[in-house]
Amino acid sequence: MAVEPVPGEPAAVADLPDERALVIADYHAGLEVGLRYEGVELRSRADERRRTVLDLLDRTDADRLVVLGDFGHAIGDPGGEEREEIEVLLDALSVPVTVVKGNHDGDLGGLLDDRDGVALTPGHGVRMGGVGFVHGHTWPSPDVLTADVVCMGHEHPMVRLEDEVGGARAERAWLRGSLDPAPFEEFHDADLAIDGELVVFPSVNDLTGGTWINVAGQEFLAPFLPAGLDGGQAYLLDGTRLGAYRRV
């Protein structure tokens, strides 16, 4: 397959023309700063996040890093700790970086535009060979949608798992299944050659929370979910298949 999850990790490897990419979603640099404004005091985990990315690049022998949006956490211009975290990470990388613009990346261009080897895509995504990349807060372009596999972030899928004695825990999850052309063709008002897969990535940042896929009353954030994911399956990070994601 063109896109394969890294076992036990919220990341995948994508086979692109002439290179291999490590793909992650929702890094949310500086998240702790945002939480402080909400009254939640947490020490910065910037060092841990950076080491995670560097370790994954080393383990996968990737030639490129692709971030599926929300590289930063602030909606506006990243400043202070968030800006420093992004700069320190980029300085530590030895591979080119593609950042797909997410809803938290509105003013990220001012930080990334002058950096060699770093590209910020439009919000509707980008296609590299047979793989399309999009954040998911807005509709993907037709070019992205007609890829063999479309990778997206934004949702931070989560499942609530209960044991026999009533204990519960939260786990990050993957969603994967066939793209349903109908909602995308309606939005673009065109017939599209959609015959690929959609892979919804867990957040690489374990502090973000997310969309509970098996808790009543939860709604998806992406405008094309759940309609655009036809018969998708849910998986834990360790590869355990939970079954149809709408009936977990």
Side-chain angles (χ1 to χ4, degrees):
M1 294 185 184
V3 176
E4 280 296 319
V6 179
E9 302 289 349
V13 172
D15 291 325
L16 308 178
D18 303 319
E19 63 181 1
R20 177 180 174 89
L22 173 69
V23 188
I24 61 173
D26 300 285
Y27 190 81
H28 283 274
L31 174 62
E32 294 85 355
V33 177
L35 291 175
R36 285 181 209 135
Y37 283 113
E38 300 174 12
V40 179
E41 288 291 334
L42 288 175
R43 69 171 181 83
S44 173
R45 298 188 186 175
D47 290 344
E48 290 94 323
R49 284 191 286 271
R50 183 176 67 257
R51 284 197 296 269
T52 293
V53 172
L54 295 175
D55 288 347
L56 284 168
L57 283 167
D58 184 60
R59 284 173 54 190
T60 59
D61 197 26
D63 307 299
R64 174 178 298 274
L65 173 65
V66 177
V67 183
L68 297 175
D70 289 359
F71 191 19
H73 183 68
I75 300 294
D77 183 35
E81 292 180 39
E82 178 176 335
R83 176 177 289 268
E84 179 182 3
E85 179 177 350
I86 292 172
E87 289 178 334
V88 171
L89 172 61
L90 292 176
D91 287 344
L93 297 176
S94 59
V95 297
V97 182
T98 299
V99 178
V100 181
K101 194 170 188 177
N103 54 303
H104 281 256
D105 298 324
D107 293 332
L108 201 60
L111 176 58
L112 302 183
D113 287 346
D114 295 332
R115 281 194 167 261
D116 292 336
V118 180
L120 180 64
T121 80
H124 58 65
V126 66
R127 179 172 171 175
M128 300 181 189
V131 185
F133 302 101
V134 68
H135 180 56
H137 65 302
T138 190
W139 292 83
S141 70
D143 187 45
V144 169
L145 287 167
T146 52
D148 297 329
V149 184
V150 177
C151 301
M152 68 167 279
H154 190 47
E155 291 292 345
H156 318 168
M158 304 279 291
V159 293
R160 176 184 170 88
L161 301 177
E162 297 184 357
D163 58 29
E164 296 176 353
V165 295
R169 71 182 193 276
E171 295 275 356
R172 287 176 285 180
W174 296 86
L175 307 181
R176 187 165 192 162
S178 299
L179 280 162
D180 187 331
F184 303 106
E185 292 182 335
E186 180 179 357
F187 176 80
H188 288 290
D189 192 23
D191 292 332
L192 301 175
I194 296 175
D195 188 29
E197 281 189 296
L198 178 65
V199 182
V200 185
F201 277 58
S203 174
V204 73
N205 188 326
D206 61 0
L207 296 177
T208 57
T211 300
W212 295 95
I213 63 171
N214 65 338
V215 174
Q218 287 283 295
E219 296 184 358
F220 286 89
L221 302 174
F224 50 84
L225 290 182
L229 182 54
D230 181 26
Q233 300 282 306
Y235 301 84
L236 296 181
L237 298 191
D238 66 4
T240 300
R241 185 167 65 90
L242 301 176
Y245 80 101
R246 300 297 287 163
R247 296 191 297 273
V248 172

